[in-house]
Amino acid sequence: MSFLKIDDKNEIYYEYVPPKDGAYTCVFLNALTGDVSAWNGSIGENLIKNNHGYLVYNFRGQAKSKFEPSLNLSAELIVKDLVNLINFLEPKNIVLVGLSIGGLYAAMSLFDGVKAKGLVLINTLRKPSERLNWINNAMANAVKFGGTQLILDMTLPMVASPKFLSKMRENALKYENYLGLDDYNGVSKLMHGGLKTSWNFDWSKLDLPVLIMTGHHDKVFRIEEDINDLIKKIHNVRRIEIPECGHLIPLEDPKLFSYHLNGFIGSLKKQ
């Protein structure tokens, strides 16, 4: 296990496999309730087979990464940690890959010093709205009562494919798994930090190739007209619609996700 130590109370857990022969390094950014396991299995192995490398890490507040309880785990802190980790490891030919709000953090890092060859946004694009605020606030409140398992059980039928639901069913909907998180728990602090994250990002400022991946079974965050409008603002964009999946494309179908990711990396080589 590897850690970037910030001080005695703060450190970032990461796993890094360098690329070979001038290939690319995918830097993966989690969703707020995610961790490195979304990426370091078959997705990472597939990259290695093609001489590419990858960097996965957990935000402060996620598993194995340490944080000082008094810290506000804000978007600014998360982006700063990403910048510091990249400056520390100096990965070559970076492709930033972010799931959900992780894609927004990835985009923000491009204006805070990160140099990347490409950007992949997985179910990221959304507009600020009262509906979005309501959903995010409700999730942040619910995690105090039943933890991430309660949120997962309540939202999964609305964000994931039926096939993925069947896969998750055995360990789901068990009352004993609903363990509330206090205000100093890392995931709880990340979710409350996420409430203050602005979605008024100016996507027109992006000056690198961007891949947009959208799962059709996502009935919570996927607002098609909003995505259509935001995509028009991105100058160099490639859009892939995935009707077989929902919000969690890398988890729902890692093989299909790897296929599209490798296709995007291949297109970068030609530019």
Side-chain angles (χ1 to χ4, degrees):
M1 294 192 295
S2 299
F3 296 88
L4 173 63
K5 184 173 181 178
I6 300 168
D7 54 42
D8 289 340
K9 296 182 179 180
N10 296 274
E11 60 186 21
I12 300 170
Y13 172 77
Y14 71 89
E15 300 173 17
Y16 174 47
V17 179
K20 297 179 180 179
D21 303 324
Y24 290 79
T25 306
C26 286
V27 179
F28 294 104
L29 283 83
N30 303 325
L32 290 180
T33 58
D35 61 57
V36 298
S37 64
W39 319 102
N40 63 2
S42 61
I43 294 172
E45 292 166 2
N46 186 277
L47 288 168
I48 293 171
K49 287 179 183 178
N50 292 288
N51 290 328
H52 301 305
Y54 68 85
L55 169 61
V56 294
Y57 75 104
N58 285 339
F59 304 152
R60 277 191 267 182
Q62 295 179 340
K64 300 180 184 177
S65 291
K66 290 171 56 178
F67 69 99
E68 187 175 356
S70 62
L71 277 179
N72 176 19
L73 301 184
S74 64
E76 292 74 19
L77 180 79
I78 293 171
V79 171
K80 180 181 178 181
D81 284 347
L82 172 61
V83 173
N84 289 338
L85 185 59
I86 286 177
N87 288 341
F88 174 68
L89 294 171
E90 298 183 340
K92 306 300 181 185
N93 298 321
I94 293 171
V95 177
L96 294 169
V97 184
L99 173 59
S100 193
I101 198 172
L104 177 61
Y105 297 148
M108 292 170 65
S109 76
L110 294 168
F111 302 95
D112 209 4
V114 172
K115 305 296 183 183
K117 302 292 186 179
L119 172 65
V120 181
L121 303 176
I122 309 160
N123 289 309
T124 294
L125 293 183
R126 63 199 73 163
K127 290 183 177 182
S129 66
E130 186 58 36
R131 177 182 181 275
L132 181 61
N133 288 338
W134 186 293
I135 292 168
N136 290 338
N137 274 272
M139 288 184 176
N141 289 339
V143 81
K144 293 184 180 182
F145 290 95
T148 55
Q149 190 62 49
L150 176 60
I151 294 175
L152 188 66
D153 286 354
M154 291 180 66
T155 61
L156 205 58
M158 296 177 286
V159 298
S161 67
K163 182 178 179 181
F164 190 67
L165 283 179
S166 298
K167 179 181 176 181
M168 300 294 288
R169 182 62 178 84
E170 182 179 355
N171 296 315
L173 304 174
K174 296 180 179 179
Y175 183 80
E176 61 270 21
N177 291 338
Y178 300 152
L179 303 175
L181 306 179
D182 62 39
D183 289 339
Y184 296 99
N185 177 273
V187 172
S188 182
K189 289 181 72 69
L190 282 168
M191 294 187 72
H192 280 86
L195 294 178
K196 298 178 181 179
T197 300
S198 174
W199 286 92
N200 277 316
F201 184 81
D202 186 357
W203 299 102
S204 68
K205 297 190 300 182
L206 297 176
D207 62 353
L208 77 173
V210 180
L211 173 64
I212 306 294
M213 299 179 71
T214 307
H216 286 199
H217 283 285
D218 183 354
K219 307 300 183 183
V220 175
F221 298 106
R222 180 179 181 270
I223 307 297
E224 186 171 6
E225 53 267 34
D226 289 351
I227 296 170
N228 292 340
D229 187 46
L230 293 172
I231 281 181
K232 293 176 183 177
K233 301 177 185 295
I234 304 174
H235 305 297
N236 186 355
V237 64
R238 178 179 179 182
R239 180 176 184 174
I240 295 178
E241 298 291 312
I242 303 182
E244 305 94 329
C245 294
H247 193 69
L248 306 171
I249 298 170
L251 294 166
E252 294 178 56
D253 197 334
K255 183 176 180 181
L256 180 62
F257 173 77
S258 292
Y259 172 80
H260 290 305
L261 179 60
N262 281 320
F264 179 62
I265 292 173
S267 72
L268 298 177
K269 295 178 182 179
K270 299 174 183 178
Q271 296 190 24

